[in-house]
């Protein structure tokens, strides 16, 4: 399939060097779009000026949420090259999400190529500076103009791009996390492992209540026993207990993060074993009480590594590592971001130059 390119005739002004970009607030000049129909499969791949799209109010995605999305970043290296970090992992995950949501499979190599073609066109939009990148948001929506509850027969795949700064305005500083006891995010058999919009729609109430209490995000517990730790709002989570790095095992209700996978591979390569197993919130509090809990941190594309300085579980607050970034989180952050931005040799072959 060819990708047709229609360049904008009205390029937007790019943010000035040093502007606080925030996260996902500004969009580039173009977007990638591709359609699906049963008779044609995925077709009509094109890069066109970024702008509003027209669909009918009956469009399936508005009513039943048949949609999936991804998030990854393009980085500028000190020499001005452009790097993508493990883009096939995101495209592979699209197909895992698609399968769960009854959305047709995409052609992974083609979509990686489309992503690269798109980023190449938008390369002037990639910001430089600590923590800055071009955030890429591939997503698919169901577009049948029909109200019956049924998987759509038509879809649209988009990639949009947003020059972004650090995810948390606080930077790589510990965040406060609310352990969620009232609401649940996912259960086995549900959609927790899929990157689907509905997971976020149902998480907003908990996120809002946590924010009202002064917390950055929630830490989800399992939906049945409400004791096993799952993940943080937009991140997977790691604990360091007695020197051992532990992260909840992926058992169908947790989003399998590319950053999680990369952190595990980095730690393993440094000779630090990472244990993937079920872990309870009680075990965390016990380890803290015994002085064995040295670090807690989240991993995700948006924030990369986010140390956790405080947990609040049912009103019981614990402070982790004196509310300071721990050495393991700091080391993974440094190594990952240096590989992503081409400042350190990429022994793993994770980055791809555009
Ligand atoms: C995207 C996401 C993550 C992090 O995944 P990465 O591939 O590391 O960005 C973690 N949890 C949830 C719920 C997510 O949506």
């Amino acid at each position: 399939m060819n990708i047709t390119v229609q360049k904008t005739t009205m390029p937007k002004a790019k943010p000035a060097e040093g502007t606080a970009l925030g996260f996902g607030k500004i969009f580039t000049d173009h977007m990638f779009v591709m359609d699906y129909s049963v008779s044609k499969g995925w077709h009509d791949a094109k890069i066109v000026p970024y702008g509003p799209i027209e669909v009918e109010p009956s469009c399936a995605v508005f009513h039943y949420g048949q949609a999936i999305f991804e998030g990854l970043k393009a980085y500028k290296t000190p020499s001005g090259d452009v790097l993508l970090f493990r883009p096939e992992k995101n495209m592979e995950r699209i197909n895992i999400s698609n399968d769960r949501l009854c959305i047709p499979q995409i052609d992974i190599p083609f979509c990686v190529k489309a992503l690269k073609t798109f980023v190449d066109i938008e390369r002037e939009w990639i910001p430089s500076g600590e923590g800055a990148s071009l955030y890429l948001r591939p997503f698919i929506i169901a577009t049948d103009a029909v109200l019956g509850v049924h998987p759509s027969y038509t879809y649209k795949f988009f990639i949009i791009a947003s020059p972004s700064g650090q995810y948390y305005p606080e930077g790589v500083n510990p965040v406060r996390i609310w352990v969620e006891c009232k609401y649940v995010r996912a259960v086995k058999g549900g959609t927790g492992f899929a990157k689907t919009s509905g997971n976020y729609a149902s998480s907003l109430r908990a996120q809002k209540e946590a924010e009202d209490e002064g917390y950055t995000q929630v830490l989800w517990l399992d939906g049945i026993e409400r004791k096993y730790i799952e993940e943080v709002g937009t991140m997977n989570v790691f604990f360091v207990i007695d020197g051992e790095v532990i992260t909840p095992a992926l058992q169908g209700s947790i989003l399998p993060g590319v950053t999680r996978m990369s952190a595990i591979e980095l730690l393993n390569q440094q000779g630090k074993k990472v244990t993937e197993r079920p872990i309870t919130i009680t075990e965390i509090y016990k380890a803290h009480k015994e002085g064995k809990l040295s670090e807690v941190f989240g991993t995700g594309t948006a924030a990369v590594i986010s140390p956790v300085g405080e947990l609040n579980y049912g009103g019981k607050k614990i402070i982790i590592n004196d509310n300071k970034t721990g050495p393991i989180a700091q080391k993974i952050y440094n190594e990952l971001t240096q590989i992503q931005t081409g400042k350190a040799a990429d022994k793993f072959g994770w980055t791809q130059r555009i």
Side-chain angles (χ1 to χ4, degrees):
M1 198 185 342
N2 278 329
I3 301 170
T4 60
V5 177
Q6 182 202 338
K7 289 259 184 85
T8 181
T9 53
M10 290 186 292
K12 295 181 259 193
K14 296 184 180 63
E17 190 95 20
T19 312
L21 296 166
F23 179 80
K25 294 183 176 157
I26 308 166
F27 296 93
T28 60
D29 282 323
H30 303 92
M31 59 187 182
F32 172 82
V33 193
M34 174 168 75
D35 293 316
Y36 179 88
S37 69
V38 174
S39 58
K40 295 186 182 164
W42 288 108
H43 65 281
D44 199 14
K46 52 185 189 259
I47 291 167
V48 292
Y50 177 90
I53 58 162
E54 198 164 87
V55 290
E56 291 196 33
S58 57
C59 183
V61 68
F62 297 145
H63 304 275
Y64 310 121
Q66 197 190 1
I68 66 90
F69 68 95
E70 270 304 326
L72 72 164
K73 289 173 169 176
Y75 303 86
K76 193 158 267 176
T77 71
S79 57
D81 286 336
V82 173
L83 297 179
L84 285 177
F85 185 72
R86 312 187 85 176
E88 342 21 52
K89 295 288 172 210
N90 297 85
M91 295 301 171
E92 286 164 14
R93 193 167 63 190
I94 285 188
N95 274 345
I96 294 169
S97 303
N98 280 355
D99 184 58
R100 182 64 181 81
L101 274 288
C102 295
I103 297 172
Q105 297 282 293
I106 57 164
D107 177 336
I108 295 168
F110 175 77
C111 289
V112 171
K113 189 181 102 184
L115 183 73
K116 290 180 176 172
T117 308
F118 173 58
V119 172
D120 190 27
I121 288 174
E122 302 299 57
R123 62 196 302 139
E124 298 302 319
W125 282 92
I126 305 173
S128 35
E130 178 67 23
S133 62
L134 185 66
Y135 183 77
L136 302 164
R137 168 55 60 87
F139 64 103
I140 301 176
I141 56 168
T143 53
D144 277 7
V146 175
L147 294 182
V149 178
H150 185 276
S152 186
Y153 294 105
T154 59
Y155 297 87
K156 275 187 183 294
F157 177 122
F158 295 90
I159 308 174
I160 58 174
S162 172
S164 295
Q166 282 188 335
Y167 189 73
Y168 295 118
E170 304 98 298
V172 193
N173 282 315
V175 291
R176 303 177 74 204
I177 298 288
W178 178 263
V179 183
E180 184 53 56
C181 301
K182 191 158 137 201
Y183 305 106
V184 298
R185 173 182 177 273
V187 289
K188 276 175 210 140
T191 57
F193 66 94
K195 217 166 167 78
T196 178
S197 317
N199 288 340
Y200 279 89
S202 61
S203 76
L204 296 175
R205 167 53 58 186
Q207 170 71 23
K208 183 183 179 301
E209 290 181 16
E211 273 173 23
D212 290 347
E213 297 285 341
Y215 290 80
T216 310
Q217 289 201 23
V218 303
L219 176 65
W220 296 105
L221 300 179
D222 76 277
I224 295 171
E225 296 183 64
R226 310 275 184 114
K227 63 180 194 187
Y228 294 101
I229 290 167
E230 299 231 305
E231 60 181 308
V232 176
T234 58
M235 300 187 289
N236 296 110
V237 66
F238 289 71
F239 301 90
V240 184
I241 299 177
D242 235 356
E244 183 189 13
V245 186
I246 304 165
T247 190
L250 301 173
Q251 290 177 331
S253 53
I254 297 175
L255 200 288
V258 178
T259 321
R260 174 189 185 276
M261 179 196 309
S262 307
I264 293 173
E265 290 172 30
L266 262 181
L267 286 161
N268 282 339
Q269 192 257 346
Q270 292 165 9
K272 250 194 160 37
K273 201 171 132 280
V274 179
T275 310
E276 294 177 72
R277 65 166 171 88
I279 182 165
T280 63
I281 187 68
T282 317
E283 185 178 342
I284 300 303
Y285 270 63
K286 182 165 170 278
H288 178 264
K289 198 168 179 187
E290 292 167 354
K292 293 178 181 167
L293 178 69
S294 56
E295 289 186 50
V296 179
F297 56 91
T299 63
T301 296
V304 191
I305 301 291
S306 189
V308 175
E310 179 189 326
L311 289 175
N312 184 331
Y313 175 48
K316 293 186 291 281
K317 294 182 190 179
I318 57 172
I319 300 294
I320 298 129
N321 193 39
D322 252 345
N323 212 10
K324 291 200 286 281
T325 302
I328 295 179
Q330 187 68 57
K331 189 160 185 227
I332 303 173
Y333 177 83
N334 293 348
E335 294 195 0
L336 261 183
T337 53
Q338 291 196 350
I339 292 173
Q340 288 168 335
T341 55
K343 290 175 190 144
D346 174 14
K347 305 181 260 226
F348 299 91
W350 284 339
T351 53
Q352 295 183 24
R353 200 168 300 268
I354 296 176

